[in-house]
Amino acid sequence: MITAGIDVGSTATKAVIFDGTIRSMAIIPTGWNPKETGRTVFLEALNNAGLQERDVDTVVGTGYGRVSLSFIDKKVTEITCHAKGARFLFPQTRTVIDIGGQDSKVIAVAEDGSVADFIMNDKCAAGTGRFLQVMTGILDISLDELGQMASGSKPVSINSMCTVFAESEIIGLLAQGVTKEAISSGIVQTIANKMISLTSKISCLEEITFSGGVANNPEICVILSSSFGAKFNIANQPQIVGALGAAIVGFENYRERGNKDAIRNVM
């Protein structure tokens, strides 16, 4: 049995080929055409696995762009998929923190692996990858440089969570001669504060799995983990957690359907 999961996010589109284990994966920028990007990443993942489209039993889509994928068999919310994917990678996961390009989310995972509760920040860019993109643009540095500068630096206070107001605030701090290191540390701390605020609104337990593109930056992960006072589980490819979960949903549904068919045949 082989299934595929495709997660069309605002910034990156991911695909995972799954056969009980991760057979292959692919990640590409979403761009302006999520329908075409979803198809492209699927074919790339198939190629990486040495498979043809006909070899896949079912394809499940997730992410904001899942509605644009006409070739998939099922659409599932990213909340369910992130919980499934995180639980597969780290079986003791009880909380998932995901920072994506345009939203951030905290998911409480029940003991049986189902979604117990969740909260999303999808109305503004505060605490998202977009927030970091704007801030690093003002500082004229990369995301990797932001993490390096923030590491070990005393954060300057950034009072606004709003991206627009925070942008003006940082420009003002630069004009006052505040170092990029202090500002970088303040930016990361602002992200941490936003996520802590989200987690305070639902019942969160350890272990915590951190997913999304921001989780690719080790220095930022350390700062966020320290702010939470808890160790974060971080996958080698934290961006694929949702796509993996989608593939697992397809795998479980296909297997369940097969078992029901087998029972009917016996009867």
Side-chain angles (χ1 to χ4, degrees):
M1 189 192 311
I2 299 173
T3 61
I6 302 171
D7 178 8
V8 183
S10 60
T11 304
T13 297
K14 295 77 65 174
V16 169
I17 306 298
F18 187 79
D19 60 4
T21 62
I22 299 173
R23 183 82 172 259
S24 73
M25 65 183 76
I27 305 172
I28 63 175
T30 297
W32 64 273
N33 190 336
K35 179 178 181 180
E36 183 178 312
T37 303
R39 182 80 183 164
T40 299
V41 78
F42 175 44
L43 296 176
E44 186 172 320
L46 284 174
N47 184 62
N48 293 341
L51 297 171
Q52 300 293 321
E53 197 169 348
R54 63 176 176 271
D55 298 320
V56 177
D57 296 295
T58 188
V59 183
V60 176
T62 191
Y64 95 99
R66 65 185 181 274
V67 295
S68 67
L69 304 179
S70 58
F71 61 91
I72 63 176
D73 301 298
K74 186 179 179 67
K75 300 178 180 71
V76 181
T77 70
E78 58 263 43
I79 302 299
T80 296
C81 292
H82 273 82
K84 286 276 187 187
R87 192 78 172 192
F88 178 85
L89 294 169
F90 302 101
Q92 301 306 312
T93 296
R94 295 301 301 275
T95 301
V96 181
I97 294 175
D98 177 77
I99 300 180
Q102 299 287 357
D103 66 35
S104 52
K105 59 186 77 73
V106 179
I107 306 164
V109 182
E111 200 165 344
D112 64 0
S114 62
V115 174
D117 200 0
F118 72 92
I119 187 167
M120 290 184 69
N121 169 44
D122 58 356
K123 302 302 181 187
C124 73
T128 69
R130 176 60 181 164
F131 178 86
L132 287 174
Q133 184 182 24
V134 172
M135 299 305 113
T136 53
I138 300 166
L139 296 176
D140 193 27
I141 59 175
S142 67
L143 185 59
D144 286 341
E145 289 173 320
L146 177 79
Q148 292 162 10
M149 287 183 172
S151 182
S153 300
K154 184 178 179 180
V156 65
S157 177
I158 296 174
N159 298 311
S160 179
M161 285 283 191
C162 171
T163 303
V164 175
F165 292 137
E167 181 178 4
S168 298
E169 192 171 346
I170 288 170
I171 291 170
L173 290 169
L174 288 170
Q176 294 168 30
V178 179
T179 66
K180 286 187 178 183
E181 286 77 9
I183 294 173
S184 296
S185 185
I187 290 168
V188 177
Q189 192 59 55
T190 299
I191 293 281
N193 292 343
K194 181 63 179 180
M195 299 314 298
I196 290 170
S197 174
L198 284 179
T199 57
S200 69
K201 297 175 183 177
I202 63 175
S203 179
C204 296
L205 302 171
E206 295 190 41
E207 296 180 8
I208 301 173
T209 296
F210 183 31
S211 65
V214 176
N216 280 315
N217 189 296
E219 289 86 1
I220 292 178
C221 291
V222 168
I223 295 170
L224 290 175
S225 177
S226 176
S227 297
F228 273 83
K231 179 181 176 293
F232 283 2
N233 297 322
I234 302 169
N236 290 332
Q237 292 285 352
Q239 285 177 282
I240 61 97
V241 173
L244 170 61
I248 292 170
V249 169
F251 191 86
E252 291 175 346
N253 288 352
Y254 194 84
R255 182 171 57 189
E256 181 181 345
R257 190 162 66 245
N259 289 340
K260 287 180 180 178
D261 289 343
I263 292 171
R264 280 196 291 269
N265 289 336
V266 169
M267 294 173 65

